[in-house]
Amino acid sequence: MRRMTSLVTAVAVGLVSLAASAAKVEVVKVHSDAMGKDVPLSVILPDAYGKDRGRRFPVVYALHGAGGSHENYTLPFMGVRGCADKYGVIVACPDGGKTSWWLDSPVDPKMKYETHVIKEVVPYVDAHYRTQADRRHRAIMGGSMGGHGACFLGIRHKDLFGAVGNIFGGVDLRPFPDQWDIKLRLGTIAEHPEYWKEYSVVSQVENLKNGELAFISVLGTSDFFLQVNRDLHEIMIKRGIEHDYVEVRAENAQMSSHGGPFHPRGAAVVLRFLDNFFSTGRGRLM
């Protein structure tokens, strides 16, 4: 049976505890042969990692948004460190530059961030940390540009990831031809409309079959990426792809807009979904 959840609530969901976390954050450098440079990586290790040295842990790869860095999900107000402790997961936070869009640019050979994450970061984490190194215990999530990246990489690399968490992702690039340096990664939409289609999640989802990924999208009704996420939701429904889709409406529009207070709440919802996937093999909120 297909399970498709569309929730619109009067208050923000997934309230995040800002209590101090015992999770440890390590910052390392991962050499990128693809780009010829060292790239930083933040790794959040749950408290249990240091206490139970015989245990292996699931991994969530958390991709930051445009203008961000590998440090974003490690910040205390995001609540991700607390979730790492609560759910007993490693959270690996790659650095995607300011506006890489987490892809291998077809017009700029210096931008190879899909290759970096898939062929350099994932193997590094599995080699250096006590991970459960299989897709059943590996997920990818992100917000905004990172939401696009999580969906894009998750769909394209279903052999590596079993679940995807999208927080207000830019899942269709075409409505934003002059925003966030996308044209520097793909060329202008007038010159290369085929790239803008190919590198958009709404096109990549055509390669996804029901049951291949546990999938959740979470965003607010005041988000400027609302329509493109609704479009993705409808495409998935038409294709019969089981997924969870959550919209949040708040009395204060700021609480359901892009970024800001909504981001940590969205991250908490996604991490609960991913914990359920790691525990049961099926992503679900309930």
Side-chain angles (χ1 to χ4, degrees):
M1 180 181 295
R2 293 183 296 162
R3 178 178 49 83
M4 300 172 183
T5 305
S6 181
L7 304 178
V8 181
T9 68
V11 294
V13 297
L15 295 178
V16 178
S17 171
L18 300 183
S21 165
K24 176 184 177 182
V25 178
E26 294 186 352
V27 180
V28 298
K29 297 281 189 179
V30 178
H31 183 71
S32 174
D33 289 335
M35 296 186 287
K37 63 181 180 180
D38 290 338
V39 184
L41 168 73
S42 289
V43 181
I44 303 172
L45 299 173
D47 185 48
Y49 190 89
K51 293 179 176 179
D52 186 353
R53 298 190 177 274
R55 178 178 169 187
R56 291 188 171 272
F57 294 79
V59 185
V60 176
Y61 289 82
L63 309 185
H64 65 79
S69 78
H70 63 101
E71 297 177 315
N72 284 37
Y73 284 105
T74 71
L75 299 175
F77 83 91
M78 284 298 297
V80 173
R81 289 158 62 178
C83 287
D85 281 343
K86 178 178 180 180
Y87 299 128
V89 297
I90 296 171
V91 183
C93 309
D95 195 284
K98 298 299 183 184
T99 53
S100 71
W101 286 88
W102 299 102
L103 49 83
D104 285 359
S105 170
V107 299
D108 183 353
K110 295 180 294 184
M111 302 293 286
K112 299 287 185 183
Y113 281 92
E114 177 178 7
T115 294
H116 176 59
V117 172
I118 299 304
K119 296 188 178 297
E120 295 168 342
V121 173
V122 172
Y124 179 94
V125 171
D126 284 340
H128 289 82
Y129 297 94
R130 297 194 313 275
T131 67
Q132 292 178 277
D134 57 73
R135 68 180 301 276
R136 172 69 174 73
H137 299 95
R138 188 187 293 121
I140 189 165
M141 63 174 275
S144 195
M145 180 183 83
H148 159 84
C151 297
F152 185 77
L153 298 182
I155 293 169
R156 286 167 62 87
H157 300 280
K158 300 183 289 288
D159 57 321
L160 289 181
F161 303 104
V164 169
N166 165 37
I167 310 165
F168 48 60
V171 294
D172 190 347
L173 305 177
R174 293 170 295 181
F176 310 98
D178 297 310
Q179 299 291 328
W180 312 295
D181 292 342
I182 305 173
K183 62 186 175 184
L184 298 182
R185 310 300 162 231
L186 301 179
T188 68
I189 196 168
E191 294 172 319
H192 295 292
E194 72 281 10
Y195 293 157
W196 287 71
K197 179 180 179 182
E198 177 186 353
Y199 286 84
S200 287
V201 175
V202 290
S203 296
Q204 288 292 325
V205 79
E206 299 293 334
N207 300 315
L208 185 64
K209 297 177 182 177
N210 187 43
E212 290 186 313
L213 284 174
F215 197 106
I216 185 172
S217 293
V218 182
L219 71 160
T221 54
S222 300
D223 199 293
F224 51 73
F225 284 145
L226 177 63
Q227 188 56 56
V228 294
N229 278 277
R230 285 179 171 175
D231 292 343
L232 177 63
H233 176 48
E234 290 300 323
I235 292 170
M236 295 179 80
I237 289 175
K238 289 177 181 177
R239 291 184 59 79
I241 298 172
E242 178 180 343
H243 64 289
D244 276 22
Y245 177 82
V246 181
E247 286 185 10
V248 178
R249 178 178 291 114
E251 292 183 8
N252 180 349
Q254 183 183 8
M255 299 298 291
S256 58
S257 62
H258 197 84
F262 186 85
H263 201 165
R265 290 166 171 80
V269 172
V270 165
L271 285 163
R272 186 174 73 192
F273 175 91
L274 297 179
D275 175 63
N276 285 335
F277 169 74
F278 295 142
S279 300
T280 70
R282 294 189 65 194
R284 60 181 65 191
L285 290 179
M286 304 303 180

